[in-house]
Amino acid sequence: MASTSIRFRRRCGGARIAVLGGALFVAACAPAVRPPAFSPREDVPIAGLPTTQAGWPQPAWWKRYGDPQLDRIVDLAMRGSPDMEQAEARYRAAMRAVDSARADLNPQVRGLVNGNHGYSDVAVKGELPGAAGNAQSFQLNPGKSWSNSGAAGALATWDLDLWGKQKDAVSAAVGQARAAEAERASAATSLQYNVVNTYYDWQAQQARLTVARHAAESSAQYRDLVELRVHGGLDDPTNLDQADGRLAQQRRAVAQLEGAASLDLVQLAALAGVSPNDLGTLTPSPLPTPDTSLPADARLGLLARRPDITAARWQIEASSKNIDQARKAYYPDVSLMALGAFLRTYPDLGSGTRTDLTLGNIGPSIQLPIFSGGRLRAQFESAQAQLDSAVAQYDGAVVQAAGQIAQGVTTLRMLEDQRVQVDRQYQASAAQRTKAADRRSKGLIDDRTWLDADMQLDQQRDARLQLTSQMLSANLSLIHALGGGYHADGDVPALPAGDAGKDSPR
């Protein structure tokens, strides 16, 4: 008897050694993590930018223009924009995914309650081989019976997560949530930029409309004077045709500007997710002076100031954790399990007989992947490809940001050079008009010459307004390219190693 017990213990010990050896063998088959196929960019090459100070633009940057009307429209858009609602919904869904992943780290208890009512009518018939005559057949009829039974139990499980696989799943979910948070900020900055840019385009149309209407009035006066001279035989009739053409051109310009202003209002309402009537009555105001000075440093901290770049970095972090999770799928899952159950049966109602059964056990549970048909390898390679894609998207976002900022800087400088020449043209036209007014007051010229000088000055006013509007739009575009006041909270994860031929620490 003792020798039998010894043999049993040896067999159990051998089985444990075999299981442990198999676990180590399968874990050793887990693939090494290779670096991403793309090397993440650590800097942003932006030519022509100074490098001394960071922190521009500031959050709520549009408030520096001191326009309560603009502040109200931006607030209205932030509350009612469909884009913001979608971004907010994606962020909430990502946060719930984090909660779900964290919940898998906690013990679980599942309960079962079951009750049955049964009926039986048993009839047994058979034959006895070897018996003589009628003795070969037999029949048993215990009769009909009714029974009740009930069971209650509870199963508790707890994944010990010895290898950190579930913690990696939590980290991946957190990365996705932080990426969704940055994408929400990206949607907000884009919305703010589009609202402010459209608003000031409307203001520019209103300012140009004032000039165009004045020019149309001057053209009408000029045409009336030419008509009087033609009827008096002092001018050629073709001069009246030219005056009619100039008047029609000015009135066409007024119609175009009125249509453009109406389209701006419709676009503002669409951005805010309201009807144009809900915007209220907007009051025209002078355009603010464009800020052509560049930020003290448009490069330092750019990677933490662009929400789309921050989102791309969090996507890299989430993809890295997904690789860790896929790699640890080769390791055995170890969990604790506890079962408690109670069963009561009344096999024959009315007889007073019952049967009670109580069960309880607790112990570890080990699940080991032995043969997966290539599924684990496919999952790992898929996670690795997702990391490569995330790094490529990150690099693309960085290059795109650099291009947008460089374009904005170049545009501002080009427009600044043009402004010098436009100002000179305006000053020349203003001086010409002043001289014409002086000569008119002395009776040296008629009103036609003065009106012609006045219309030329209106043309230069319109050119200055157009240039100011373009410079303001370029300035707003640069603010948007620099993140629109977004600032990461300082805990953006480091990028994974990208040296070829080396295993990543992840």
Side-chain angles (χ1 to χ4, degrees), residues 92-106 108 166 169-170 173-174:
R92 290 196 302 267
M95 290 302 299
R96 300 293 79 78
V98 173
D99 296 339
S100 177
R102 285 175 175 164
D104 289 340
L105 290 170
N106 300 325
Q108 301 182 56
Q166 191 57 39
V170 173
V174 170

Side-chain angles (χ1 to χ4, degrees), residues 168-346:
D168 290 335
V170 173
S171 298
V174 170
Q176 293 289 352
R178 298 303 299 273
E181 183 181 17
E183 290 170 356
R184 180 181 61 175
S186 180
T189 56
S190 296
L191 176 63
Q192 293 158 2
Y193 159 71
N194 287 323
V195 168
V196 177
N197 192 48
T198 305
Y199 173 80
Y200 278 120
D201 187 74
W202 179 84
Q203 291 286 10
Q205 306 298 348
Q206 297 301 311
R208 292 185 62 197
L209 263 174
T210 301
V211 175
R213 286 165 179 161
H214 180 266
E217 292 176 0
S218 299
S219 295
Q221 295 177 18
Y222 185 91
R223 189 260 179 203
D224 292 340
L225 290 176
V226 171
E227 183 181 23
L228 290 175
R229 293 181 63 84
V230 169
H231 289 168
L234 299 177
D235 277 345
D236 189 276
T238 58
N239 291 340
L240 182 59
D241 295 335
Q242 294 175 358
D244 286 336
R246 176 185 289 185
L247 178 59
Q249 182 180 4
Q250 292 296 334
R251 289 176 174 173
R252 176 172 174 264
V254 171
Q256 287 180 336
L257 292 172
E258 289 176 345
S262 299
L263 288 176
D264 284 337
L265 291 179
V266 172
Q267 185 175 356
L268 272 179
L271 290 171
V274 298
S275 67
N277 293 332
D278 294 332
L279 292 176
T281 303
L282 301 184
T283 303
S285 60
L287 290 176
T289 302
D291 183 9
T292 59
S293 61
L294 298 179
D297 183 8
R299 173 164 39 189
L300 182 63
L302 172 64
L303 300 186
R305 217 188 293 135
R306 288 265 305 205
D308 56 340
I309 294 179
T310 301
R313 290 182 70 174
W314 277 111
Q315 289 288 356
I316 292 177
E317 177 71 7
S319 298
S320 299
K321 293 302 180 182
N322 283 333
I323 288 181
D324 294 341
Q325 184 183 11
R327 189 171 185 270
K328 292 171 183 177
Y330 286 83
Y331 302 163
D333 291 333
V334 181
S335 60
L336 290 178
M337 299 185 64
L339 173 65
F342 175 77
L343 173 65
R344 170 168 291 180
T345 303
Y346 295 88

Side-chain angles (χ1 to χ4, degrees), residues 3-255:
S3 61
T4 302
S5 176
I6 292 174
R7 286 196 300 270
F8 178 75
R9 287 196 299 270
R10 286 178 178 175
R11 291 175 181 174
C12 292
R16 286 194 295 266
I17 294 174
V19 171
L20 179 59
L24 294 176
F25 174 76
V26 175
C29 294
V33 180
R34 64 174 174 82
F38 299 87
S39 177
R41 293 176 177 263
E42 293 286 0
D43 59 354
V44 185
I46 307 175
L49 296 183
T51 56
T52 54
Q53 180 186 352
W56 185 91
Q58 295 295 327
W61 48 270
W62 61 90
K63 292 187 177 180
R64 67 176 181 169
Y65 297 117
D67 190 340
Q69 189 171 245
L70 173 62
D71 298 343
R72 178 180 62 82
I73 296 177
V74 173
D75 292 340
L76 181 65
M78 293 297 292
R79 291 195 305 268
S81 169
D83 292 340
M84 288 303 303
E85 292 177 355
Q86 293 177 14
E88 184 68 29
R90 288 194 296 268
Y91 173 67
R92 290 196 302 267
M95 290 302 299
R96 300 293 79 78
V98 173
D99 296 339
S100 177
R102 285 175 175 164
D104 289 340
L105 290 170
N106 300 325
Q108 301 182 56
V109 179
R110 302 173 64 183
L112 170 67
V113 176
N114 184 29
N116 294 299
H117 178 68
Y119 166 77
S120 64
D121 184 1
V122 181
V124 181
K125 297 180 180 180
E127 295 182 357
L128 297 176
N134 293 332
Q136 293 181 353
S137 301
F138 70 92
Q139 180 174 348
L140 299 177
N141 293 307
K144 302 175 182 179
S145 65
W146 297 85
S147 64
N148 283 338
S149 64
L155 175 65
T157 59
W158 184 19
D159 189 347
L160 299 181
D161 196 29
L162 297 181
W163 321 111
K165 181 173 64 174
Q166 191 57 39
K167 293 183 178 66
D168 290 335
V170 173
S171 298
V174 170
Q176 293 289 352
R178 298 303 299 273
E181 183 181 17
E183 290 170 356
R184 180 181 61 175
S186 180
T189 56
S190 296
L191 176 63
Q192 293 158 2
Y193 159 71
N194 287 323
V195 168
V196 177
N197 192 48
T198 305
Y199 173 80
Y200 278 120
D201 187 74
W202 179 84
Q203 291 286 10
Q205 306 298 348
Q206 297 301 311
R208 292 185 62 197
L209 263 174
T210 301
V211 175
R213 286 165 179 161
H214 180 266
E217 292 176 0
S218 299
S219 295
Q221 295 177 18
Y222 185 91
R223 189 260 179 203
D224 292 340
L225 290 176
V226 171
E227 183 181 23
L228 290 175
R229 293 181 63 84
V230 169
H231 289 168
L234 299 177
D235 277 345
D236 189 276
T238 58
N239 291 340
L240 182 59
D241 295 335
Q242 294 175 358
D244 286 336
R246 176 185 289 185
L247 178 59
Q249 182 180 4
Q250 292 296 334
R251 289 176 174 173
R252 176 172 174 264
V254 171

